[in-house]
Amino acid sequence: MTIDHTHDAAALSWVASANDPATDFPLQNLPFCSFRRAGTLEPWRVGVGIGDQILDLSAWGIADLNALMARPSSERRALRHRLFETLKAGAPEVGLVPQAQAEFTLPCRIGDYTDFYTGIHHARAVGRLFRPDNPLLPNYQWVPIGYHGRSSSIVVSGTALRRPKGQVKPPDADAPVFKASARIDCELELGLFVGPGNALGEPFGIDEADEHAFGLTLLNDWSARDIQPWEYQPLGPFLAKNFGTTISPWIVTMEALAPFRIPFTRPADDPQPLPYLDSPAHRANAAFDIELEVWFKTPAMAEPARISRSNLRHAYWSLAQMLTHHASNGCNLQPGDLLGTGTISGPAPDEAGSLLELTLGGKQPITLPGGEQRTFMLDGDQLGLRAFAEKPGFRRIGFGPCDGVITPAS
């Protein structure tokens, strides 16, 4: 991905709100969504975010975001250039839809969902809770760990989720019981949407991975931490995860994030990636500097409070490695498939991307403004993720909301 005139920080839009330094969606971002006017039964339409408005792409002949995702990166860049020229200051103004008057659905059809485990600080912290003598399994530093999730329960930001039920086995009990989870947790992640896919049986190389990456969205892979320990061995999470995954309605394209690429490095004493997951070009710019935040709000709080902040640079495996490894056995990725990064925690205690880590497994509650304490989420609690990339000389690029509320079990 190259930096070009669409990243010029001095470029302004005729949409006044897009020129606000605090906006998530300046002219240099142009994220995609699927929307319609609130309170109507209009068909869902593909839109582009600009400030606090949406540009409807139906007049452009774009009615299917998955079809757009399938196009080569050269065509997607050409569309970005056309959007930029349409919305920049001095261009003729066209009709827009205020975001406040719109409702959103999932941005595209998600055929398959895979959740990776690329946050090594999260892996170590959780490993210490579950396996104190062996927190980081020996394969972690050699292979990008992942499992297939449930795409049918992926929901858009703002969707309420019922507290799930499942088998829970207390440490001092002889048998498990079926009950509502008492340890609902968040996971601070980004989701990578696949662009052009690959044919079944046809893997691709690490330096081809960018061609298969369309864009990123915020992702909260909700977790029931009391269900998970009993069920996850030997095959991995099941009911503890598949009751709901929340994503932002917006997809920030890889082209918009080009200025925020940074070198991908490993500690010299760690195992280095195997050749199929490594190259000089990959090491030069495969990581990303994207700030990630967790915000919490109880029913008694007037405003949410930030409880954690991390960064995608802490990921142990890159987005390109996730894609390349996923297809390395010939698995056919398809446009609109979603790959979660796994929880991205940093090395410091306040950079933890889950309540499980922040509360040391529920042993040390966090104290919120107003004095309320939480270990895990109670009914009515809301949790939101935020993300943005910023760098001197470039406009701040945001990801929009990724919010959810937990409601009582059925």
Side-chain angles (χ1 to χ4, degrees):
M1 301 295 176
T2 58
I3 297 174
D4 59 25
H5 67 282
T6 64
H7 303 101
D8 180 6
L12 299 178
S13 172
W14 54 262
V15 183
S17 58
N19 302 323
D20 182 346
T23 185
D24 272 1
F25 305 147
L27 179 62
Q28 294 76 6
N29 191 347
L30 306 176
F32 289 95
C33 69
S34 182
F35 80 102
R36 67 186 177 192
R37 294 179 187 273
T40 73
L41 295 178
E42 295 176 349
W44 296 106
R45 300 176 179 179
V46 178
V48 167
I50 180 72
D52 59 5
Q53 305 289 313
I54 306 170
L55 175 64
D56 185 349
L57 294 185
S58 58
W60 293 45
I62 299 174
D64 186 335
L65 189 54
N66 289 74
L68 176 62
M69 292 171 147
R71 297 179 184 176
S73 59
S74 59
E75 293 187 25
R76 303 199 306 264
R77 285 194 297 273
L79 175 61
R80 173 177 169 84
H81 292 171
R82 184 182 170 196
L83 289 166
F84 185 88
E85 296 301 321
T86 298
L87 294 166
K88 75 176 183 180
E93 296 186 11
V94 298
L96 301 173
V97 178
Q99 291 179 29
Q101 297 178 20
E103 61 179 317
F104 299 90
T105 187
L106 295 176
C108 65
R109 296 184 305 279
I110 303 172
D112 209 345
Y113 166 49
T114 302
D115 197 35
F116 280 85
Y117 200 39
T118 69
I120 193 169
H121 301 292
H122 173 73
R124 284 190 171 123
V126 173
R128 282 193 291 269
L129 294 173
F130 289 168
R131 302 179 303 274
D133 297 330
N134 188 27
L136 196 67
L137 295 176
N139 63 346
Y140 187 89
Q141 293 173 298
W142 289 101
V143 59
I145 302 298
Y147 73 96
H148 287 283
R150 180 75 180 173
S151 60
S152 64
S153 54
I154 299 174
V155 298
V156 73
S157 174
T159 304
L161 287 174
R162 288 182 181 268
R163 182 175 298 273
K165 295 179 179 178
Q167 287 196 24
V168 175
K169 184 181 181 299
D172 56 349
D174 293 329
V177 294
F178 184 77
K179 56 175 288 189
S181 172
R183 293 163 69 93
I184 298 299
D185 197 0
C186 67
E187 291 199 340
L188 176 60
E189 304 189 30
L190 285 171
L192 171 65
F193 277 105
V194 175
N198 59 295
L200 182 64
E202 297 292 337
F204 50 83
I206 188 72
D207 290 334
E208 301 172 273
D210 282 346
E211 180 62 31
H212 299 274
F214 180 80
L216 299 181
T217 189
L218 272 167
L219 187 152
N220 180 2
D221 196 29
W222 301 91
S223 299
R225 299 298 188 185
D226 44 358
I227 297 174
Q228 186 173 350
W230 176 240
E231 71 172 10
Y232 89 106
Q233 296 186 34
L235 293 182
F238 186 30
L239 300 187
K241 294 281 192 178
N242 67 8
F243 66 95
T245 299
T246 302
I247 66 172
S248 168
W250 302 97
I251 303 177
V252 177
T253 65
M254 304 310 293
E255 289 78 17
L257 295 169
F260 309 101
R261 287 177 172 264
I262 56 177
F264 173 85
T265 59
R266 281 277 178 85
D269 293 338
D270 283 11
Q272 297 305 300
L274 294 179
Y276 80 104
L277 294 175
D278 198 9
S279 77
H282 178 266
R283 292 191 180 214
N285 71 348
F288 288 84
D289 184 4
I290 300 174
E291 293 287 333
L292 307 170
E293 298 179 340
V294 181
W295 292 73
F296 201 105
K297 182 180 181 299
T298 73
M301 295 169 62
E303 299 292 337
R306 191 178 72 193
I307 60 173
S308 177
R309 186 171 183 177
S310 186
N311 193 292
L312 185 59
R313 74 163 74 94
H314 297 310
Y316 196 75
W317 296 98
S318 72
L319 303 174
Q321 288 170 328
M322 288 164 48
L323 279 166
T324 303
H325 181 69
H326 202 315
S328 63
N329 68 340
C331 173
N332 53 322
L333 301 178
Q334 298 178 325
D337 284 354
L338 181 61
L339 278 58
T341 60
T343 308
I344 303 298
S345 300
D350 61 353
E351 295 177 304
S354 68
L355 293 171
L356 184 70
E357 298 167 83
L358 286 169
T359 66
L360 302 181
K363 298 176 182 177
Q364 181 176 297
I366 59 172
T367 301
L368 299 163
E372 290 181 278
Q373 291 188 325
R374 289 290 190 274
T375 50
F376 297 96
M377 297 186 70
L378 302 183
D379 292 342
D381 286 347
Q382 301 178 38
L383 193 137
L385 308 183
R386 299 293 182 269
F388 57 91
E390 56 185 1
K391 179 180 179 180
F394 295 93
R395 285 297 302 271
R396 176 185 180 276
I397 300 295
F399 284 71
C402 182
D403 299 332
V405 60
I406 297 299
T407 60
S410 60

